[in-house]
Amino acid sequence: STPVDLTLGIEILANESKDEDMLLLALRRLLSHINAIVREGAVISVGSFYIETKPPQDILDRVKEIAQNDPSLYLKEYAKDLLLQY
């Protein structure tokens, strides 16, 4: 799969599915992906899926790590903004 495929796939899953277990399997891998666009799609998906509830702590920890250390300045800022929701 290409980075774009992974990004679109996780965003569609977060928006269209109610299956949290399946989403978490994907998020746990994609939040650590080498490609920034894939990590971005995963962070967006956290915000899309967890609107009324708080994500699991390991997901929040990974988003916090992205907010503090990601090489992409845009992604760092997006992750910081997302964390303010929780």
Side-chain angles (χ1 to χ4, degrees):
S1 297
T2 69
V4 172
D5 292 338
L6 293 172
T7 301
L8 293 175
I10 192 66
E11 290 182 27
I12 291 169
L13 182 62
N15 287 317
E16 302 295 328
S17 176
K18 303 288 185 214
D19 189 339
E20 183 179 23
D21 292 334
M22 184 170 38
L23 179 70
L24 287 173
L25 284 172
L27 283 176
R28 288 183 174 118
R29 293 190 66 176
L30 299 181
L31 284 168
S32 297
H33 197 276
I34 192 167
N35 191 297
I37 195 168
V38 176
R39 293 191 306 277
E40 179 182 333
V43 171
I44 289 169
S45 296
V46 171
S48 296
F49 191 83
Y50 293 99
I51 295 171
E52 297 178 9
T53 61
K54 187 175 176 181
Q57 190 60 49
D58 67 310
I59 298 296
L60 288 174
D61 291 345
R62 181 62 191 127
V63 173
K64 184 177 181 183
E65 185 177 326
I66 289 170
Q68 293 173 343
N69 302 313
D70 202 88
S72 167
L73 295 178
Y74 170 79
L75 184 51
K76 282 171 75 167
E77 290 303 313
Y78 191 87
K80 286 177 189 176
D81 289 344
L82 177 66
L83 289 170
L84 294 175
Q85 296 179 29
Y86 305 112

Coordinates of all heavy atoms in Angstrom, one line a residue:
S1 N 0.8 -1.2 0.0 CA 0.0 0.0 0.0 C 0.9 1.3 0.0 O 1.9 1.3 0.7 CB -0.9 0.0 1.2 OG -1.8 -1.0 1.2
T2 N 0.4 2.3 -0.7 CA 1.2 3.5 -0.7 C 0.8 4.4 0.5 O -0.3 4.1 1.1 CB 0.8 4.3 -2.0 OG1 -0.6 4.8 -1.9 CG2 1.0 3.5 -3.3
P3 N 1.6 5.4 0.8 CA 1.2 6.2 1.9 C -0.2 6.9 1.8 O -0.9 7.0 2.7 CB 2.3 7.3 2.0 CG 3.5 6.5 1.4 CD 2.9 5.6 0.4
V4 N -0.5 7.3 0.6 CA -1.8 7.9 0.3 C -2.9 6.9 0.6 O -3.9 7.2 1.2 CB -1.9 8.5 -1.1 CG1 -3.3 8.9 -1.5 CG2 -0.9 9.6 -1.3
D5 N -2.7 5.6 0.1 CA -3.7 4.6 0.4 C -3.9 4.4 1.9 O -5.1 4.3 2.3 CB -3.3 3.3 -0.3 CG -3.3 3.3 -1.8 OD1 -4.0 4.1 -2.4 OD2 -2.6 2.4 -2.4
L6 N -2.8 4.3 2.6 CA -2.9 4.1 4.1 C -3.7 5.3 4.7 O -4.5 5.1 5.6 CB -1.6 4.0 4.7 CG -0.8 2.7 4.3 CD1 0.6 2.7 4.8 CD2 -1.5 1.5 4.8
T7 N -3.3 6.5 4.3 CA -3.9 7.7 4.9 C -5.4 7.7 4.6 O -6.2 8.0 5.5 CB -3.3 9.0 4.3 OG1 -1.9 8.9 4.6 CG2 -3.9 10.2 4.8
L8 N -5.8 7.5 3.3 CA -7.2 7.5 3.0 C -8.0 6.4 3.7 O -9.1 6.6 4.1 CB -7.4 7.4 1.5 CG -6.9 8.7 0.7 CD1 -7.0 8.4 -0.8 CD2 -7.7 9.9 1.1
G9 N -7.3 5.3 3.8 CA -8.0 4.1 4.4 C -8.3 4.3 5.9 O -9.4 4.0 6.3
I10 N -7.3 4.9 6.6 CA -7.6 5.1 8.0 C -8.6 6.2 8.3 O -9.4 6.1 9.2 CB -6.2 5.4 8.8 CG1 -6.5 5.3 10.3 CG2 -5.6 6.7 8.4 CD1 -6.8 4.0 10.9
E11 N -8.6 7.2 7.4 CA -9.6 8.3 7.5 C -11.0 7.8 7.2 O -11.9 8.1 7.9 CB -9.2 9.5 6.7 CG -8.0 10.2 7.2 CD -7.6 11.4 6.4 OE1 -8.5 12.0 5.7 OE2 -6.4 11.8 6.4
I12 N -11.1 6.9 6.2 CA -12.4 6.3 5.9 C -12.9 5.4 7.0 O -14.0 5.5 7.4 CB -12.4 5.6 4.5 CG1 -12.2 6.6 3.4 CG2 -13.6 4.7 4.3 CD1 -11.9 5.9 2.1
L13 N -12.0 4.6 7.5 CA -12.3 3.7 8.6 C -12.8 4.5 9.8 O -13.9 4.2 10.4 CB -11.1 2.9 9.0 CG -11.3 1.8 10.1 CD1 -12.4 0.8 9.7 CD2 -10.0 1.2 10.4
A14 N -12.1 5.6 10.2 CA -12.5 6.4 11.3 C -13.9 7.1 11.1 O -14.7 7.2 12.1 CB -11.5 7.4 11.6
N15 N -14.2 7.5 9.9 CA -15.4 8.2 9.6 C -16.6 7.3 9.4 O -17.7 7.7 9.6 CB -15.2 9.1 8.4 CG -14.4 10.3 8.7 OD1 -14.5 10.9 9.8 ND2 -13.5 10.6 7.8
E16 N -16.4 6.1 8.9 CA -17.5 5.2 8.5 C -17.7 4.0 9.4 O -18.8 3.4 9.3 CB -17.2 4.7 7.0 CG -17.0 5.8 6.0 CD -18.3 6.6 5.8 OE1 -19.4 6.1 5.9 OE2 -18.2 7.9 5.5
S17 N -16.8 3.7 10.2 CA -16.9 2.4 11.0 C -17.2 2.8 12.4 O -16.8 3.8 13.0 CB -15.6 1.6 10.9 OG -15.7 0.5 11.7
K18 N -17.9 1.9 13.1 CA -18.1 1.9 14.6 C -17.2 0.9 15.3 O -17.3 0.8 16.5 CB -19.6 1.7 14.9 CG -20.5 2.6 14.2 CD -20.5 4.0 14.8 CE -21.6 4.8 14.2 NZ -21.2 6.2 14.0
D19 N -16.4 0.2 14.6 CA -15.6 -0.9 15.1 C -14.3 -0.3 15.7 O -13.3 -0.2 15.0 CB -15.3 -1.9 14.0 CG -14.6 -3.2 14.6 OD1 -14.0 -3.1 15.7 OD2 -14.6 -4.2 13.9
E20 N -14.3 0.0 17.0 CA -13.2 0.6 17.7 C -12.0 -0.3 17.7 O -10.8 0.1 17.5 CB -13.5 1.0 19.1 CG -12.4 1.7 19.8 CD -12.7 2.2 21.2 OE1 -13.7 1.6 21.8 OE2 -12.0 3.1 21.7
D21 N -12.2 -1.6 17.9 CA -11.1 -2.6 17.9 C -10.3 -2.6 16.6 O -9.1 -2.6 16.6 CB -11.6 -4.0 18.3 CG -12.1 -4.1 19.7 OD1 -11.7 -3.3 20.5 OD2 -12.9 -5.0 19.9
M22 N -11.0 -2.6 15.5 CA -10.3 -2.6 14.2 C -9.6 -1.3 14.0 O -8.5 -1.2 13.5 CB -11.4 -2.8 13.1 CG -10.7 -2.9 11.7 SD -11.8 -3.4 10.4 CE -13.4 -2.7 10.7
L23 N -10.2 -0.2 14.4 CA -9.6 1.1 14.2 C -8.3 1.2 15.1 O -7.3 1.7 14.6 CB -10.5 2.3 14.6 CG -9.9 3.7 14.5 CD1 -9.7 4.0 13.1 CD2 -10.8 4.7 15.2
L24 N -8.4 0.7 16.3 CA -7.2 0.8 17.2 C -6.0 0.0 16.6 O -4.9 0.4 16.8 CB -7.6 0.4 18.6 CG -8.4 1.4 19.4 CD1 -8.9 0.8 20.7 CD2 -7.6 2.6 19.6
L25 N -6.3 -1.2 16.1 CA -5.3 -2.0 15.4 C -4.5 -1.1 14.4 O -3.3 -1.1 14.3 CB -5.8 -3.2 14.8 CG -6.2 -4.4 15.7 CD1 -6.9 -5.4 15.0 CD2 -5.0 -4.9 16.4
A26 N -5.3 -0.4 13.6 CA -4.7 0.4 12.5 C -4.0 1.6 13.1 O -2.9 1.9 12.7 CB -5.7 0.8 11.5
L27 N -4.6 2.3 14.0 CA -4.1 3.5 14.6 C -2.7 3.3 15.3 O -1.8 4.0 15.1 CB -5.0 4.2 15.6 CG -6.2 5.0 15.0 CD1 -7.1 5.4 16.1 CD2 -5.7 6.1 14.2
R28 N -2.7 2.2 16.0 CA -1.4 1.9 16.8 C -0.2 1.7 15.8 O 0.9 2.0 16.2 CB -1.6 0.7 17.6 CG -2.5 1.0 18.8 CD -2.7 -0.1 19.8 NE -3.5 0.4 21.0 CZ -4.7 -0.1 21.3 NH1 -5.3 -1.1 20.7 NH2 -5.3 0.4 22.4
R29 N -0.5 1.2 14.6 CA 0.6 1.1 13.7 C 0.9 2.3 12.9 O 2.0 2.7 12.7 CB 0.3 -0.1 12.7 CG 0.2 -1.4 13.4 CD 0.1 -2.5 12.4 NE 1.4 -2.6 11.6 CZ 1.6 -3.5 10.7 NH1 0.8 -4.4 10.5 NH2 2.7 -3.5 10.0
L30 N -0.2 3.0 12.5 CA 0.0 4.2 11.6 C 0.4 5.4 12.3 O 1.0 6.3 11.7 CB -1.3 4.4 10.8 CG -1.8 3.2 9.9 CD1 -3.0 3.6 9.1 CD2 -0.7 2.8 8.9
L31 N 0.1 5.5 13.6 CA 0.6 6.7 14.3 C 2.2 6.7 14.5 O 2.8 7.7 14.8 CB 0.0 6.8 15.7 CG -1.4 7.3 15.8 CD1 -2.0 7.0 17.2 CD2 -1.5 8.7 15.4
S32 N 2.8 5.5 14.2 CA 4.2 5.4 14.2 C 4.8 5.2 12.9 O 6.0 4.9 12.7 CB 4.6 4.2 15.1 OG 4.2 4.5 16.5
H33 N 4.0 5.4 11.8 CA 4.5 5.2 10.5 C 5.7 6.1 10.1 O 5.7 7.2 10.6 CB 3.4 5.3 9.5 CG 3.6 4.7 8.1 ND1 4.3 5.4 7.1 CD2 3.3 3.5 7.6 CE1 4.4 4.6 6.1 NE2 3.8 3.5 6.3
I34 N 6.6 5.7 9.3 CA 7.7 6.5 8.9 C 7.3 7.7 8.0 O 7.9 8.8 8.1 CB 8.7 5.6 8.1 CG1 10.1 6.4 8.0 CG2 8.2 5.2 6.8 CD1 11.2 5.5 7.5
N35 N 6.2 7.6 7.3 CA 5.8 8.7 6.4 C 4.8 9.7 7.2 O 3.8 9.3 7.8 CB 5.0 8.1 5.2 CG 4.8 9.1 4.1 OD1 4.1 10.1 4.3 ND2 5.4 8.9 3.0
A36 N 5.2 11.0 7.1 CA 4.4 12.0 7.8 C 2.9 12.0 7.4 O 2.0 12.3 8.2 CB 5.0 13.3 7.6
I37 N 2.7 11.8 6.1 CA 1.3 11.9 5.6 C 0.4 10.8 6.2 O -0.7 11.0 6.5 CB 1.2 12.0 4.1 CG1 -0.2 12.4 3.7 CG2 1.5 10.6 3.5 CD1 -0.4 12.7 2.2
V38 N 1.0 9.7 6.5 CA 0.3 8.6 7.1 C 0.1 8.9 8.6 O -1.0 8.7 9.1 CB 1.1 7.2 6.9 CG1 0.4 6.1 7.7 CG2 1.3 6.9 5.5
R39 N 1.1 9.4 9.3 CA 0.9 9.8 10.7 C -0.2 10.9 10.8 O -1.0 10.9 11.7 CB 2.2 10.3 11.3 CG 3.2 9.2 11.4 CD 4.4 9.7 12.3 NE 5.0 10.9 11.8 CZ 6.0 11.0 10.9 NH1 6.4 9.9 10.2 NH2 6.5 12.2 10.5
E40 N -0.2 11.8 9.8 CA -1.2 12.9 9.8 C -2.6 12.3 9.6 O -3.5 12.7 10.4 CB -0.9 13.8 8.6 CG -1.9 15.0 8.5 CD -1.7 15.9 7.4 OE1 -0.5 16.0 6.9 OE2 -2.6 16.5 6.9
G41 N -2.8 11.4 8.7 CA -4.1 10.7 8.5 C -4.5 10.0 9.8 O -5.7 10.0 10.2
A42 N -3.6 9.4 10.5 CA -3.9 8.7 11.7 C -4.3 9.7 12.8 O -5.3 9.5 13.6 CB -2.7 7.9 12.2
V43 N -3.6 10.8 12.9 CA -4.0 11.8 13.9 C -5.4 12.4 13.6 O -6.2 12.6 14.5 CB -2.9 13.0 14.0 CG1 -3.4 14.1 14.9 CG2 -1.6 12.4 14.6
I44 N -5.6 12.7 12.4 CA -6.9 13.2 12.0 C -8.0 12.2 12.3 O -9.1 12.5 12.8 CB -6.9 13.5 10.4 CG1 -6.1 14.7 10.1 CG2 -8.4 13.7 9.9 CD1 -5.8 14.9 8.7
S45 N -7.7 10.9 12.1 CA -8.7 9.8 12.4 C -9.0 9.7 13.9 O -10.1 9.4 14.3 CB -8.1 8.5 11.9 OG -8.0 8.6 10.5
V46 N -8.0 10.0 14.7 CA -8.2 10.0 16.2 C -9.3 11.0 16.5 O -10.3 10.8 17.2 CB -7.0 10.3 17.0 CG1 -7.3 10.5 18.5 CG2 -6.0 9.1 16.8
G47 N -9.1 12.2 15.9 CA -10.1 13.3 16.2 C -11.5 13.0 15.6 O -12.5 13.4 16.1
S48 N -11.5 12.3 14.4 CA -12.8 12.0 13.8 C -13.6 10.9 14.5 O -14.8 11.0 14.6 CB -12.5 11.5 12.3 OG -11.9 12.5 11.6
F49 N -12.9 9.9 15.0 CA -13.5 8.8 15.7 C -13.9 9.1 17.1 O -15.0 8.8 17.6 CB -12.7 7.6 15.6 CG -13.4 6.3 16.0 CD1 -14.1 5.6 15.1 CD2 -13.3 5.8 17.3 CE1 -14.8 4.4 15.5 CE2 -14.0 4.7 17.7 CZ -14.7 4.0 16.8
Y50 N -13.0 9.8 17.8 CA -13.2 10.1 19.2 C -13.8 11.5 19.4 O -13.1 12.4 19.9 CB -12.0 9.8 20.0 CG -11.5 8.4 20.0 CD1 -10.6 7.9 19.2 CD2 -12.1 7.5 20.9 CE1 -10.2 6.6 19.2 CE2 -11.8 6.1 20.9 CZ -10.8 5.7 20.0 OH -10.5 4.4 20.0
I51 N -15.0 11.7 19.0 CA -15.7 13.0 19.2 C -16.3 13.1 20.5 O -16.2 14.1 21.2 CB -16.7 13.2 18.0 CG1 -16.0 13.2 16.7 CG2 -17.5 14.5 18.3 CD1 -16.9 13.2 15.5
E52 N -17.0 12.1 21.0 CA -17.7 12.1 22.2 C -17.1 11.4 23.4 O -17.5 11.4 24.5 CB -19.2 11.6 22.0 CG -20.0 12.4 21.0 CD -21.3 11.9 20.8 OE1 -21.8 10.9 21.5 OE2 -22.0 12.4 19.9
T53 N -16.0 10.7 23.0 CA -15.3 9.9 24.1 C -13.8 10.2 24.0 O -13.3 10.8 23.0 CB -15.5 8.4 23.9 OG1 -15.0 8.0 22.6 CG2 -17.0 8.0 24.0
K54 N -13.1 9.8 25.0 CA -11.7 10.0 25.0 C -11.0 8.8 24.4 O -11.4 7.7 24.8 CB -11.2 10.2 26.5 CG -9.8 10.6 26.7 CD -9.6 10.9 28.2 CE -8.1 11.2 28.4 NZ -7.9 11.5 29.8
P55 N -10.0 9.0 23.6 CA -9.2 7.8 23.1 C -8.5 7.1 24.2 O -8.2 7.7 25.3 CB -8.2 8.5 22.2 CG -8.7 9.8 21.9 CD -9.4 10.2 23.1
P56 N -8.1 5.8 24.0 CA -7.3 5.1 25.0 C -6.0 5.9 25.3 O -5.5 6.6 24.4 CB -7.0 3.8 24.3 CG -8.1 3.6 23.3 CD -8.4 5.0 22.8
Q57 N -5.5 5.7 26.5 CA -4.3 6.4 26.9 C -3.1 6.2 26.0 O -2.3 7.1 25.8 CB -3.9 6.1 28.4 CG -2.9 7.0 29.0 CD -3.3 8.4 29.0 OE1 -4.4 8.8 29.4 NE2 -2.4 9.3 28.5
D58 N -2.9 5.0 25.5 CA -1.7 4.7 24.6 C -1.8 5.5 23.4 O -0.8 6.0 22.8 CB -1.5 3.2 24.4 CG -2.6 2.6 23.5 OD1 -3.8 2.8 23.8 OD2 -2.3 1.9 22.5
I59 N -3.0 5.8 22.9 CA -3.2 6.6 21.6 C -2.9 8.0 22.0 O -2.2 8.7 21.2 CB -4.6 6.4 21.1 CG1 -4.9 5.0 20.7 CG2 -4.9 7.4 19.9 CD1 -4.0 4.4 19.5
L60 N -3.4 8.5 23.1 CA -3.1 9.9 23.5 C -1.6 10.1 23.7 O -1.1 11.1 23.4 CB -3.9 10.2 24.8 CG -5.4 10.4 24.6 CD1 -6.1 10.6 26.0 CD2 -5.7 11.6 23.7
D61 N -1.0 9.1 24.3 CA 0.5 9.2 24.5 C 1.2 9.3 23.2 O 2.2 10.1 23.1 CB 1.0 8.0 25.3 CG 0.5 8.0 26.8 OD1 0.0 9.0 27.3 OD2 0.6 6.9 27.4
R62 N 0.8 8.6 22.2 CA 1.5 8.6 20.9 C 1.2 10.0 20.3 O 2.1 10.5 19.6 CB 1.0 7.4 20.0 CG 1.6 7.4 18.7 CD 3.2 7.2 18.8 NE 3.7 7.4 17.5 CZ 4.7 8.3 17.2 NH1 5.3 9.0 18.2 NH2 5.2 8.5 16.0
V63 N 0.0 10.5 20.3 CA -0.3 11.8 19.8 C 0.5 12.8 20.5 O 1.0 13.8 19.9 CB -1.8 12.1 19.8 CG1 -2.1 13.5 19.4 CG2 -2.6 11.1 19.0
K64 N 0.7 12.7 21.8 CA 1.5 13.7 22.6 C 3.0 13.6 22.1 O 3.6 14.6 21.9 CB 1.4 13.4 24.0 CG 2.2 14.3 24.9 CD 2.0 14.0 26.4 CE 2.7 15.0 27.2 NZ 2.6 14.7 28.7
E65 N 3.4 12.4 21.8 CA 4.8 12.2 21.3 C 5.0 12.9 20.0 O 6.0 13.6 19.7 CB 5.2 10.8 21.2 CG 6.6 10.5 20.8 CD 6.9 9.0 20.8 OE1 6.4 8.3 21.6 OE2 7.7 8.7 19.9
I66 N 3.9 12.8 19.1 CA 4.0 13.5 17.8 C 4.0 15.0 18.0 O 4.7 15.7 17.4 CB 2.7 13.0 16.9 CG1 2.9 11.6 16.5 CG2 2.6 13.9 15.7 CD1 1.7 10.9 15.8
A67 N 3.1 15.5 18.9 CA 3.0 16.9 19.2 C 4.4 17.5 19.7 O 4.7 18.6 19.4 CB 1.9 17.2 20.2
Q68 N 5.1 16.7 20.4 CA 6.4 17.1 20.9 C 7.6 16.9 20.0 O 8.5 17.7 20.0 CB 6.7 16.4 22.3 CG 5.7 16.8 23.3 CD 5.8 16.0 24.6 OE1 6.4 15.0 24.6 NE2 5.2 16.5 25.7
N69 N 7.6 15.8 19.2 CA 8.8 15.4 18.6 C 8.7 15.2 17.1 O 9.8 14.8 16.5 CB 9.3 14.1 19.2 CG 9.6 14.3 20.7 OD1 10.2 15.3 21.1 ND2 9.1 13.4 21.5
D70 N 7.6 15.3 16.5 CA 7.5 14.9 15.0 C 8.3 15.9 14.2 O 8.3 17.1 14.5 CB 6.0 15.0 14.6 CG 5.9 14.1 13.3 OD1 5.6 12.9 13.4 OD2 6.0 14.7 12.2
P71 N 9.0 15.4 13.2 CA 9.8 16.3 12.3 C 8.9 17.3 11.5 O 9.4 18.3 11.1 CB 10.6 15.4 11.4 CG 10.1 14.0 11.6 CD 9.2 14.0 12.8
S72 N 7.6 16.9 11.3 CA 6.7 17.8 10.5 C 6.2 18.8 11.5 O 5.4 18.5 12.4 CB 5.6 17.0 9.9 OG 4.6 17.8 9.4
L73 N 6.5 20.1 11.2 CA 6.0 21.2 12.1 C 4.5 21.3 12.0 O 3.8 21.5 13.0 CB 6.6 22.5 11.7 CG 8.1 22.6 11.9 CD1 8.6 24.0 11.4 CD2 8.5 22.4 13.4
Y74 N 3.9 21.1 10.8 CA 2.5 21.1 10.7 C 1.8 20.0 11.5 O 0.8 20.3 12.2 CB 2.1 21.0 9.2 CG 0.6 20.8 9.0 CD1 -0.3 21.8 9.1 CD2 0.1 19.5 8.8 CE1 -1.7 21.7 8.9 CE2 -1.3 19.3 8.7 CZ -2.2 20.4 8.7 OH -3.5 20.2 8.6
L75 N 2.3 18.8 11.4 CA 1.8 17.7 12.2 C 1.9 17.9 13.7 O 1.0 17.6 14.4 CB 2.4 16.4 11.7 CG 1.9 15.1 12.3 CD1 0.3 15.0 12.2 CD2 2.5 13.9 11.7
K76 N 3.0 18.5 14.1 CA 3.2 18.8 15.5 C 2.1 19.7 16.0 O 1.5 19.5 17.0 CB 4.6 19.4 15.8 CG 5.7 18.5 15.8 CD 7.0 19.2 15.8 CE 7.4 19.7 17.1 NZ 8.8 20.2 17.2
E77 N 1.8 20.8 15.2 CA 0.8 21.7 15.6 C -0.6 21.1 15.6 O -1.4 21.4 16.5 CB 0.8 23.0 14.7 CG 2.1 23.8 14.9 CD 2.2 24.3 16.4 OE1 1.2 24.8 16.9 OE2 3.3 24.2 16.9
Y78 N -0.9 20.3 14.6 CA -2.2 19.6 14.5 C -2.4 18.7 15.7 O -3.4 18.7 16.3 CB -2.3 18.8 13.2 CG -3.7 18.4 12.9 CD1 -4.6 19.2 12.3 CD2 -4.1 17.1 13.4 CE1 -5.9 18.8 12.1 CE2 -5.4 16.7 13.2 CZ -6.3 17.5 12.6 OH -7.6 17.2 12.4
A79 N -1.3 18.0 16.1 CA -1.4 17.0 17.2 C -1.6 17.8 18.5 O -2.4 17.4 19.4 CB -0.2 16.2 17.3
K80 N -0.9 19.0 18.7 CA -1.1 19.8 19.9 C -2.6 20.3 20.0 O -3.2 20.2 21.0 CB -0.2 21.0 19.8 CG 1.3 20.7 20.1 CD 2.1 21.9 19.9 CE 3.6 21.5 20.0 NZ 4.5 22.7 19.8
D81 N -3.1 20.7 18.8 CA -4.5 21.2 18.8 C -5.5 20.1 19.2 O -6.4 20.3 19.9 CB -4.9 21.8 17.5 CG -4.2 23.1 17.2 OD1 -3.7 23.7 18.1 OD2 -4.1 23.5 16.0
L82 N -5.2 18.9 18.6 CA -6.1 17.7 18.9 C -6.1 17.4 20.4 O -7.1 17.1 21.0 CB -5.6 16.5 18.1 CG -6.4 15.2 18.4 CD1 -7.9 15.4 17.9 CD2 -5.8 14.0 17.7
L83 N -4.9 17.4 21.0 CA -4.8 17.1 22.4 C -5.6 18.1 23.3 O -6.1 17.7 24.4 CB -3.3 17.1 22.9 CG -2.5 15.9 22.3 CD1 -1.0 16.1 22.6 CD2 -3.0 14.6 22.9
L84 N -5.8 19.3 22.9 CA -6.6 20.2 23.6 C -8.1 19.8 23.8 O -8.7 20.2 24.7 CB -6.5 21.6 23.0 CG -5.2 22.3 23.0 CD1 -5.2 23.6 22.2 CD2 -4.7 22.6 24.4
Q85 N -8.5 18.9 22.8 CA -9.9 18.5 22.9 C -10.1 17.4 24.0 O -11.2 17.2 24.4 CB -10.3 17.8 21.6 CG -10.3 18.7 20.4 CD -10.7 18.0 19.1 OE1 -11.4 17.0 19.1 NE2 -10.1 18.4 18.0
Y86 N -9.0 16.9 24.5 CA -9.1 15.8 25.5 C -8.5 16.2 26.8 O -8.6 15.6 27.8 CB -8.5 14.5 25.0 CG -9.0 14.1 23.6 CD1 -8.2 14.2 22.5 CD2 -10.3 13.6 23.5 CE1 -8.7 13.8 21.3 CE2 -10.8 13.3 22.3 CZ -10.0 13.3 21.2 OH -10.4 13.0 19.9

